[in-house]
């Protein structure tokens, strides 16, 4: 063991460090899955709202269904942003813990977490990139919701008169 870790570290520290590295890897995978699922759901709901607008015969049904799909897309975007923030916070805590353990366990040139953190656009910088990219969906969702509401208002006025 003395060849692997510094004299102040122990085998238990190394085992714990390995578990933290596994946690970091797992959280990173969860974040990527949330991003992929979110973009797929949001894009699908927005695309379906436009597609069904052309395909449905009933003017009221196409507006109501389109508006519901846009609301689903909006909720999906908001939900994904919250989940990304949650998992990124957990990932940040795990990274900080791994860096602390690396100081006790490894020589400066063997510290994986610290080395990877110095790579441009790595680590929690990816969270900011994703969160900024979700703002692309908001104008589209607002525009489509506005369109469906604007077209739905005459039906509502006519119904309640």
């Amino acid at each position: 063991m003395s060849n692997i870790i510094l004299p102040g570290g122990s085998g238990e520290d190394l085992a714990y460090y390995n578990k933290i590295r596994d946690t970091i890897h797992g959280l990173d995978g969860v974040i990527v899955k949330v991003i992929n699922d979110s973009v797929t759901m949001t894009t699908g709901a927005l695309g379906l709202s436009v597609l069904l607008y052309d395909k449905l015969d009933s003017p009221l049904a196409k507006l109501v269904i389109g508006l519901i799909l846009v609301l689903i897309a909006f909720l999906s975007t908001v939900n994904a942003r919250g989940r990304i923030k949650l998992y990124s916070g957990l990932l940040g805590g795990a990274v900080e813990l791994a860096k602390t353990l690396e100081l006790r366990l490894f020589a400066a040139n063997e510290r994986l977490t610290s080395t990877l953190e110095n790579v441009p656009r790595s680590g929690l910088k990816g969270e900011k990139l994703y969160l900024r990219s979700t703002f692309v969906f908001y104008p589209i969702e607002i525009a489509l919701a506005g369109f469906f509401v604007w077209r739905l208002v005459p039906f509502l006025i006519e119904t309640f008169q």
Side-chain angles (χ1 to χ4, degrees):
M1 231 356 110
S2 61
N3 294 337
I4 298 173
I5 60 175
L6 294 174
S10 67
E12 290 83 20
D13 289 338
L14 186 59
Y16 188 56
Y17 173 77
N18 286 331
K19 286 293 181 190
I20 297 213
R21 291 299 315 164
D22 288 343
T23 301
I24 290 170
H25 177 72
L27 286 169
D28 193 44
V30 168
I31 290 169
V32 169
K33 181 159 179 37
V34 168
I35 291 169
N36 286 335
D37 292 352
S38 160
V39 169
T40 301
M41 269 185 66
T42 302
T43 306
L46 292 174
L48 191 59
S49 72
V50 173
L51 180 69
L52 287 179
Y53 186 79
D54 287 338
K55 301 295 181 192
L56 293 176
D57 293 330
S58 167
L60 183 59
K62 67 170 67 174
L63 295 173
V64 170
I65 291 172
L67 185 58
I68 289 170
L69 287 169
V70 170
L71 290 174
I72 289 170
F74 175 76
L75 292 174
S76 173
T77 303
V78 170
N79 179 282
R81 287 178 61 85
R83 289 171 51 198
I84 294 299
K85 287 180 182 181
L86 169 69
Y87 295 132
S88 292
L90 294 171
L91 178 62
V95 166
E96 288 304 314
L97 187 54
K99 284 179 8 185
T100 301
L101 283 171
E102 283 179 351
L103 293 174
R104 286 195 322 219
L105 292 172
F106 306 113
N109 61 343
E110 297 175 355
R111 295 180 184 148
L112 177 64
T113 308
S114 302
T115 303
L116 291 176
E117 195 170 58
N118 294 327
V119 174
R121 293 179 297 283
S122 68
L124 296 180
K125 299 169 202 141
E127 174 196 16
K128 293 175 186 164
L129 175 67
Y130 174 73
L131 293 177
R132 280 195 309 260
S133 70
T134 59
F135 283 113
V136 169
F137 288 120
Y138 289 133
I140 296 168
E141 292 163 355
I142 290 169
L144 282 174
F147 172 78
F148 288 124
V149 167
W150 176 67
R151 298 292 302 244
L152 190 60
V153 167
F155 285 103
L156 296 176
I157 291 172
E158 186 177 302
T159 302
F160 291 113
Q161 282 185 353

